[in-house]
Amino acid sequence: MQWTGLNDLREKYLSFFESKNHTRMASASLIPQGDKSLLLINSGMAPLKKFFLGQATPPNKRVTTCQKCIRTPDIESVGKTARHGTYFEMLGNFSFGDYFKNEAIEWAWEFLTKTLEIPAEKLWITIFESDDEAEQIWENKIGIPHDRIIRLGKKDNFWEHGSGPCGPCSEIHFDRGEAYGPFESFEQASDCDRVIEIWNLVFSQFDSDGNGHYEEMKNKNIDTGMGLERLACVMQGVDNIFEVDTVQNIMKHISKIAGVEYKKDAKTDVSLRVITDHIRSTTLMVGDGILPSNEGRGYVLRRLLRRAARHGRLLGVKRPFLTEVCDTVINENEGAYPELAEKRDYIKKIIGVEEEAFAKTIDKGTELLTGFTDTLKAEGKTVLSGDDAFKLSDTYGFPIDLTVEMCEEMGLTVDRDRFTELAKEQRARAKADHLAKAGSSWADNSIKIDAPATIFTGYTDFEADRAEVVAIYKDGQEVEQANEGDDVVIVLDVTPFYAESGGQVGDTGVLINGANIAAVADTIKSEGHFLHIASIEQGTIRKGDNVTAQIEKDRRMAIMRNHTTAHLLQYALRQVLGDHVHQAGQLVNEKACRFDFNHFSAMTDEEIAKVEELVNAEIMAAIPVTMQERPIEEARKLGAMALFGEKYGDTVRVVTADKSVEFCGGTHISNTAQIGLFKIVSESSVAAGVRRIEAVTGLGVINLLNEFKETIAKSAKAIKLANVNELPEKCAALFAESKEKDKKLESLNQQMANAKTAALFDNAKEVDGIKLVSARMDGTAPDALRKLGDSVKDKNEAMIALFAAVNGEKGTFYCVCTKEAVAKGGNAGKIVREVSAVTGGKGGGKPDGAMAGAGDITKIDEALAKFEEIVKTTK
C-alpha cells in the first residue's frame, strides 16, 4: 500500500462509491437541522436520520458522504493523550432499502484491498455473535480465513439507540504490526492498540420496541462509518491523528509561532495537541454559522477557543494568534469545503474578536485564581470553594471549566456542587427580578394561581366582552376585591391583552365593569396565566366580576407594525450581510423596533441603505402576512427560522411575509403595506459580535422627519441663515473660519508663553550648575505646554524647566531637562512624578521630558514651591 494524503483519501472514497451508483452528498452543517436530540452533528448518519426514519425522501437510495463531526464529551482529555480529539470527518456509504450485507461487505473489502491496496493479511473482521449470514459472506465470498473472523456480543457489535431501527454490525480492523506489541489474541492486540478498528458496517434489519423485542424489517438499510483521520493514520503509517499530513501542517504552524518543537517536551506536546485540535473544530464550527455564546453549541465553541488561547499562553504566545493558524486550517480543508475560503475573513474576524475578549479576562482571572490556590496550599487544603469559583465566573467572566482544568494541573479540585448551587440561585434571582416588575405579588415565586390557564384572544380581537376576574392580588396576597387607588394584579379567564414575550412588550388598556374601571399599565405571563398590572381608577373590581377587557388599539397597532418589521429586517440583514445573521434579542414597542443580531463589524452606510431599501420594497409591495399554527416538523420543512435557545412545543405559530418565515408567538399586522415606512435610526455595538439596529415605522418615521426638520430650522436660525438649503456650505465655511481663528489664537498664546518664559530665564535659580525654571500658565492646553517645554530642550546649557497649567477642573505638569542637565543627573520623569504626587496626581516619562496630571488643583502652587527641593533629591 502506498502513502496517501488525507485529502486524496477522501476523494478516493467518494469517487469509489460514486462508481457504485451512489449519489455524493455534501457534508451537512455541524448544526443539526430539526433534530433536538443533538447539540452538534457527531456522526455520518446523524444528518441522514430523516431518510432512515422515512421523514424525508433521499436523492437516491444509495448515498455516500464525508461528514464533518464534533464530539465533546472528553474535551478535558484532548491534548493529554494523542488519541482524543473533538473534530473528525466520517466517511460513509448508505443504502435506504436498496442493497444489504452482500454489497456492503464486498465493496468495503474491494475499496480497502484493491483501491487502497491494503494487504488482506493485515485485516481482521468482527461480527455480531449470532450473525451467521455476515460470517458466511466474509468466509465464503470474500475468502477470509475462519480464524480471522471474531464473533463478539451485543456490547461491541450491535447498534441500537432506544427504540426504532437497529441491527448487528461488522467491523474491519487493521493490524499495525509488532512495533505496537505482541499478538497473543485478538482481544489482547486490540487492548494494546496493535489492532485498531477502521470501518464499521451497520446492518439495520430490525425494528426494536425498546423492551427487548425485535421485528425483522421489510426494507433493510445499510449505514457504514469510517473515520477519515483513522484511515489516514493507516495509509501514512503514523501513530495518531496529530501526525496525519493535514493535521501536522496545522501543528507545524503553531510550533513556528510559539518557537517550539513537537515531541521534545511532554507539557509542550499537550498544548500543541490542544491548540491543533481546537482550532480545527472552531474554524469549521464558525464556518457553519456557530457563534460564541454562553449556552448550547455557542458555549462549546467559546470553550474550545478559550482553551486553545490559554494553551497558547502556556507556550509563551502572549499575543492573539489563532487567526493566523485559522488560515492554515482553511488552506488544508478548502478543497473539500470551499465555503471556508469564501468565509475566510468572517471566520477569522469571529475567532479574533473572541480571542481578544478572552485576553482581557484570563490575566485578571489567573491572578485571582493563583491567589486563591496559594492560600489553599498554605492552609494545606486541596479543594477550591464553590464560592471562589463562582466569584471568578460571575464577577470576572472566568469559565468554570477553565478553573477546574487549571486546578487539576495543580493537584486541586473544585467544589462543583456549591458552584452549581450558586449559579442556580443567581438564575432564580434574575427570574424574581423580572417578575418583580409585576408588583410585590410576583416577586415571591411561591404564589400559585388556582385557575385554568388564561385563554388569549388577542391575535384576532382587541376586546373581550365578558372576561371573568378569576383572581386579584394586592401586596403579595390574594384579595376578594380592589378599591379605587389600589395597585393590583388581575387575572382573567380570557383576555385580548398580549403578555410580554419574545421581545414584544405587554399590552395596556382598561378593564371595565359599568362605572368600575381598572387601568392596565402592563401585561406579563406566569405559568400560563396572563397578569394584568393595574390600578383601580374608579369604583371597585371584585373577584367573579365580568369585565370588558379593552386593549389600547392604536398602541397595539404600532407594536404590531414594529414586530412585523423586525421579521422583514432580519430577512433583509441576512440578504445583505449573510446567513450568519441571527436574532440575538429584540424589543418591539409602540415607539420603535430594536433588533440585536450576530455580526462582527459595524455596518457600512451602503449596507444600511441596502437593508432599508429591501425592507421598504417589501412594505410597498403590500405583501399579505399570514399566521398559522403548524406541527413543528412541518414548520421546519418550510424553512421557518427559530430563535436559538427557545423551547417550542409540538405545535408552533409560523408567521410568513413573502420569503420571511419565522416561528413567532407575537402579534402582527395582516399586510406589509400597513407598516407605511421604515427608517433605521442607528446601528451600534452592544457586545462582542452583537450589533443593534434601532428603527422606526409608520408615524414614527413622520415624527423623525419632523424632528430632523425642526433641528435643521433651529440650526439655520442660530447662524442667521434664511435658506436652509445652504446650511451644509455655511457650516463648512464657519468651521473653516473657526479653525483658522484657533490657529491664530494658539500662535498668539505661544508667543505670550515664550515671552513669559524668556523673562523667567533671566531670574533662573542655579543648583549644582543647573538652572531651574518654573511657572504656572493657566489656560495653556497640554499640547501647547508640551511645545513650550520642548523649546527649552534646544538650549545649549544645563537647564530644568517645570510648567503647570489648569484648564477647567484639570491640572497638568510638564517637566523638561536639556541634554546638559541630563548629563548632570537631571531626570524629568522622576521630578514630575514627585511634583505631581504633592497634589495626589500621577505621571512620569523619559529623563528629558515627562508629563503628569495633577490631583488636587488647589495644591499646584504648593507642588511648584517644592520644585527645587525635589530636583536635589531626585539627582
Side-chain angles (χ1 to χ4, degrees):
M1 64 186 190
Q2 294 184 341
W3 186 98
T4 309
L6 181 141
N7 287 322
D8 289 336
L9 281 173
R10 184 194 297 110
E11 182 55 36
K12 281 178 180 288
Y13 180 89
L14 295 173
S15 295
F16 175 83
F17 279 99
E18 280 185 313
S19 74
K20 305 299 183 184
N21 298 319
H22 287 62
T23 294
R24 181 193 300 212
M25 291 180 65
S27 172
S29 167
L30 286 165
I31 303 174
Q33 303 299 311
D35 189 344
K36 289 184 178 180
S37 66
L38 293 176
L39 194 64
L40 292 157
I41 292 297
N42 60 8
S43 69
M45 186 274 285
L48 307 178
K49 191 188 297 184
K50 57 189 176 185
F51 301 140
F52 284 113
L53 296 176
Q55 296 171 345
T57 303
N60 184 359
K61 287 188 175 183
R62 300 180 180 186
V63 162
T64 184
T65 66
C66 181
Q67 176 62 44
K68 299 171 288 187
C69 301
I70 298 280
R71 290 182 186 172
T72 57
D74 301 318
I75 287 180
E76 293 83 1
S77 299
V78 174
K80 295 178 183 177
T81 74
R83 297 182 59 179
H84 292 87
T86 58
Y87 174 77
F88 62 96
E89 295 177 67
M90 185 63 74
L91 301 167
N93 56 286
F94 308 89
S95 168
F96 308 108
D98 187 33
Y99 64 84
F100 200 48
K101 292 182 185 179
N102 272 298
E103 294 88 344
I105 291 172
E106 289 174 8
W107 290 337
W109 189 255
E110 180 183 347
F111 178 72
L112 294 177
T113 60
K114 298 293 191 293
T115 303
L116 299 185
E117 299 179 347
I118 296 176
E121 62 271 17
K122 287 184 174 291
L123 299 175
W124 286 72
I125 309 300
T126 63
I127 60 171
F128 182 52
E129 57 191 357
S130 62
D131 194 352
D132 296 334
E133 181 185 6
E135 182 184 60
Q136 290 299 315
I137 297 170
W138 281 117
E139 188 171 352
N140 298 332
K141 290 194 174 183
I142 305 301
I144 305 296
H146 185 77
D147 61 356
R148 294 177 75 88
I149 303 173
I150 311 298
R151 289 179 181 257
L152 296 176
K154 201 170 186 180
K155 178 183 176 183
D156 297 297
N157 278 66
F158 194 93
W159 185 91
E160 67 177 325
H161 185 73
S163 60
C166 60
C169 56
S170 180
E171 295 176 343
I172 304 173
H173 300 252
F174 178 77
D175 183 355
R176 300 202 284 179
E178 293 182 359
Y180 293 88
F183 195 111
E184 297 170 0
S185 68
F186 177 83
E187 291 76 10
Q188 169 271 326
S190 297
D191 290 341
C192 72
D193 279 348
R194 170 173 171 164
V195 172
I196 59 171
E197 176 217 329
I198 57 173
W199 203 341
N200 186 15
L201 315 178
V202 178
F203 311 127
S204 186
Q205 64 187 93
F206 299 112
D207 186 7
S208 169
D209 63 2
N211 296 311
H213 181 69
Y214 301 92
E215 287 282 343
E216 189 91 13
M217 292 196 304
K218 181 179 180 181
N219 295 316
K220 300 177 176 61
N221 304 314
I222 289 293
D223 159 22
T224 86
M226 176 162 56
L228 177 59
E229 291 85 353
R230 178 74 67 90
L231 179 62
C233 288
V234 170
M235 296 304 296
Q236 296 176 18
V238 295
D239 287 348
N240 56 72
I241 62 171
F242 295 100
E243 297 176 20
V244 169
D245 60 333
T246 56
V247 184
Q248 186 60 206
N249 289 339
I250 297 167
M251 183 181 284
K252 286 177 180 176
H253 190 174
I254 299 165
S255 299
K256 182 179 178 181
I257 291 172
V260 298
E261 290 185 51
Y262 189 46
K263 291 191 172 181
K264 294 289 185 181
D265 175 79
K267 287 187 176 179
T268 295
D269 289 353
V270 169
S271 292
L272 285 173
R273 287 192 291 261
V274 167
I275 301 167
T276 300
D277 172 78
H278 290 3
I279 193 61
R280 292 179 77 215
S281 295
T282 53
T283 299
L284 274 294
M285 290 171 76
V286 174
D288 277 347
I290 299 170
L291 293 167
S293 70
N294 289 325
E295 60 180 11
R297 60 182 70 92
Y299 180 68
V300 173
L301 172 61
R302 172 162 286 167
R303 186 178 173 193
L304 292 173
L305 279 172
R306 292 187 169 189
R307 193 164 185 257
R310 176 181 174 254
H311 277 273
R313 287 175 173 254
L314 293 179
L315 292 178
V317 185
K318 302 300 182 184
R319 61 176 176 80
F321 72 102
L322 293 177
T323 55
E324 299 172 43
V325 187
C326 178
D327 271 325
T328 303
V329 178
I330 293 171
N331 294 342
E332 294 294 333
N333 289 277
E334 64 180 329
Y337 309 110
E339 65 273 11
L340 293 176
E342 296 167 7
K343 299 178 180 178
R344 184 187 297 267
D345 291 343
Y346 169 72
I347 294 170
K348 291 173 66 177
K349 179 71 173 178
I350 290 177
I351 290 176
V353 168
E354 182 66 17
E355 186 177 13
E356 288 173 10
F358 182 55
K360 298 173 184 176
T361 298
I362 190 168
D363 291 334
K364 182 64 177 177
T366 301
E367 179 185 337
L368 289 166
L369 179 58
T370 301
F372 292 149
T373 56
D374 286 348
T375 301
L376 285 178
K377 292 174 183 177
E379 296 174 352
K381 298 177 181 178
T382 60
V383 181
L384 180 72
S385 73
D387 294 76
D388 287 342
F390 183 74
K391 181 179 181 181
L392 284 167
S393 173
D394 185 51
T395 306
Y396 299 100
F398 206 66
I400 180 61
D401 305 294
L402 191 51
T403 298
V404 170
E405 183 170 337
M406 292 175 71
C407 284
E408 286 177 351
E409 291 170 0
M410 293 181 277
L412 306 172
T413 58
V414 178
D415 186 349
R416 288 294 294 263
D417 291 341
R418 174 59 177 161
F419 173 87
T420 302
E421 180 184 342
L422 290 169
K424 285 181 178 178
E425 288 176 3
Q426 184 195 49
R427 286 194 292 270
R429 283 194 300 272
K431 183 176 181 182
D433 288 343
H434 176 70
L435 288 173
K437 68 176 288 186
S440 58
S441 299
W442 308 103
D444 179 359
N445 281 335
S446 65
I447 295 177
K448 301 296 181 184
I449 299 172
D450 185 18
T454 308
I455 298 171
F456 177 60
T457 61
Y459 286 134
T460 55
D461 300 327
F462 289 175
E463 180 178 312
D465 286 335
R466 292 181 59 80
E468 181 182 348
V469 176
V470 297
I472 303 173
Y473 290 88
K474 178 185 175 184
D475 298 330
Q477 301 294 324
E478 185 171 6
V479 295
E480 290 298 311
Q481 67 180 46
N483 301 315
E484 190 170 319
D486 288 345
D487 293 324
V488 293
V489 173
I490 298 175
V491 184
L492 306 176
D493 64 340
V494 60
T495 185
F497 284 75
Y498 182 84
E500 179 190 351
S501 179
Q504 179 176 327
V505 296
D507 278 330
T508 58
V510 292
L511 307 178
I512 302 171
N513 179 22
N516 306 294
I517 301 172
V520 178
D522 197 4
T523 312
I524 64 172
K525 192 189 300 185
S526 176
E527 298 182 350
H529 297 99
F530 285 54
L531 315 178
H532 304 79
I533 316 305
S535 297
I536 309 302
E537 288 195 339
Q538 185 174 304
T540 300
I541 299 292
R542 296 178 176 82
K543 183 177 179 180
D545 282 353
N546 287 320
V547 299
T548 298
Q550 297 176 346
I551 64 173
E552 193 176 339
K553 182 179 178 182
D554 289 344
R555 179 176 181 269
R556 165 71 92 77
M557 286 298 297
I559 294 170
M560 289 162 64
R561 282 193 291 269
N562 285 328
H563 200 158
T564 302
T565 298
H567 286 219
L568 299 179
L569 176 57
Q570 175 164 230
Y571 175 76
L573 286 168
R574 288 170 65 86
Q575 293 297 109
V576 174
L577 302 179
D579 290 343
H580 63 277
V581 170
H582 283 86
Q583 179 183 327
Q586 73 172 10
L587 173 65
V588 286
N589 57 28
E590 71 276 20
K591 295 178 180 178
C593 161
R594 190 182 78 194
F595 189 80
D596 297 346
F597 58 99
N598 300 116
H599 190 56
F600 279 78
S601 60
M603 291 176 66
T604 64
D605 291 341
E606 292 77 12
E607 288 169 338
I608 291 173
K610 183 61 178 175
V611 168
E612 282 187 342
E613 180 184 334
L614 288 174
V615 173
N616 279 308
E618 294 286 281
I619 293 170
M620 298 302 176
I623 296 164
V625 180
T626 62
M627 292 142 276
Q628 294 178 307
E629 289 193 350
R630 294 177 179 271
I632 190 166
E633 292 303 326
E634 182 182 329
R636 287 198 170 104
K637 289 177 184 178
L638 290 173
M641 288 190 66
L643 181 61
F644 179 68
E646 279 291 306
K647 294 181 179 180
Y648 297 97
D650 294 332
T651 302
V652 294
R653 197 161 180 267
V654 179
V655 177
T656 304
D658 196 16
K659 295 179 181 177
S660 168
V661 185
E662 295 189 30
F663 291 9
C664 183
T667 62
H668 293 266
I669 42 87
S670 59
N671 190 291
T672 60
Q674 293 173 279
I675 297 171
L677 288 170
F678 168 78
K679 179 65 182 175
I680 293 175
V681 177
S682 66
E683 191 272 350
S684 60
S685 172
V686 290
V690 180
R691 307 295 300 178
R692 170 172 293 172
I693 279 178
E694 297 199 42
V696 290
T697 63
L699 293 175
V701 178
I702 303 300
N703 293 336
L704 182 67
L705 293 175
N706 287 335
E707 288 174 12
F708 287 165
K709 184 178 179 181
E710 184 179 356
T711 300
I712 292 169
K714 286 181 178 179
S715 301
K717 184 178 180 181
I719 59 174
K720 297 179 173 58
L721 184 67
N723 187 353
V724 295
N725 293 325
E726 297 173 4
L727 188 60
E729 293 82 1
K730 183 66 174 178
C731 287
L734 287 173
F735 179 75
E737 183 181 333
S738 175
K739 196 171 182 182
E740 184 63 29
K741 287 180 179 178
D742 287 343
K743 285 182 180 178
K744 290 180 180 179
L745 185 60
E746 184 180 345
S747 177
L748 287 171
N749 286 335
Q750 189 69 49
Q751 292 174 33
M752 291 169 63
N754 289 340
K756 187 175 181 181
T757 305
L760 290 171
F761 292 151
D762 296 335
N763 301 304
K765 291 184 179 181
E766 190 168 313
V767 176
D768 298 333
I770 302 174
K771 288 184 177 181
L772 303 183
V773 175
S774 65
R776 179 165 176 167
M777 312 183 80
D778 290 350
T780 305
D783 285 345
L785 209 62
R786 190 186 296 275
K787 287 181 182 179
L788 178 62
D790 289 347
S791 68
V792 175
K793 290 183 188 179
D794 298 332
K795 295 189 177 293
N796 295 317
E797 58 182 315
M799 183 176 289
I800 299 175
L802 175 66
F803 301 107
V806 174
N807 284 280
E809 297 180 357
K810 291 186 178 180
T812 305
F813 293 105
Y814 188 56
C815 182
V816 292
C817 296
T818 63
K819 186 176 181 180
E820 289 76 7
V822 172
K824 291 187 176 185
N827 189 309
K830 292 180 180 179
I831 293 169
V832 83
R833 182 169 59 247
E834 294 301 321
V835 169
S836 65
V838 175
T839 68
K842 294 180 180 180
K846 297 178 181 179
D848 64 341
M851 186 171 278
D856 183 352
I857 60 176
T858 65
K859 293 184 178 182
I860 286 180
D861 288 337
E862 180 184 341
L864 289 173
K866 294 186 177 182
F867 173 45
E868 183 179 338
E869 177 188 338
I870 290 171
V871 170
K872 291 178 181 178
T873 59
T874 55
K875 283 182 63 182

